């Protein structure tokens, strides 16, 4: 449900991505695969995903998790980040 709510909000905010930014959608697997505590997206030091959906600025600590991804203002702030 969080992914369904977030998808159109995220898409609406693509316009705030900066030139040269890359947006990648990654699927974490079916529910049973995702719920496994050894799921690579949960355990990999580069990702440390704790919930789905997650938007993250790779290489930083900046991220939105679950219902935050459906908040247009938060998504815009993440996409329009100057760092």
């Amino acid at each position: 449900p969080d992914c369904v709510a977030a998808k159109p909000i995220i898409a609406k905010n693509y316009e705030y991505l900066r030139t040269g930014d890359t947006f990648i959608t990654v699927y974490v697997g079916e529910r049973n695969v995702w719920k496994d505590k050894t799921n690579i997206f949960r355990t990999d030091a580069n990702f440390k995903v704790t919930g789905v959906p997650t938007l993250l600025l790779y290489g930083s600590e900046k991220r939105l998790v679950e219902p935050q991804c459906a908040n247009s203002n938060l998504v815009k702030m993440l996409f329009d980040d100057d760092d």
Side-chain angles (χ1 to χ4, degrees):
D2 288 333
C3 292
V4 173
K7 189 173 183 174
I9 303 300
I10 294 166
K12 182 178 91 174
N13 283 283
Y14 287 156
E15 68 182 287
Y16 298 108
L17 290 168
R18 292 170 299 165
T19 302
D21 285 349
T22 302
F23 184 89
I24 301 170
T25 301
V26 178
Y27 296 94
V28 296
E30 295 294 327
R31 182 177 173 80
N32 63 322
V33 174
W34 165 246
K35 290 294 184 180
D36 183 341
K37 297 298 181 193
T38 64
N39 182 292
I40 190 67
F41 296 103
R42 291 179 181 273
T43 59
D44 187 283
N46 292 307
F47 299 106
K48 301 178 194 167
V49 175
T50 60
V52 175
T54 293
L55 282 174
L56 61 86
L57 185 59
Y58 187 76
S60 81
E61 295 295 318
K62 296 176 182 177
R63 65 181 58 223
L64 302 175
V65 180
E66 294 176 335
Q68 294 173 323
C69 296
N71 180 317
S72 189
N73 291 329
L74 293 176
V75 174
K76 179 184 182 289
M77 285 173 35
L78 184 71
F79 285 178
D80 200 26
D81 186 78
D82 286 334
D83 288 347

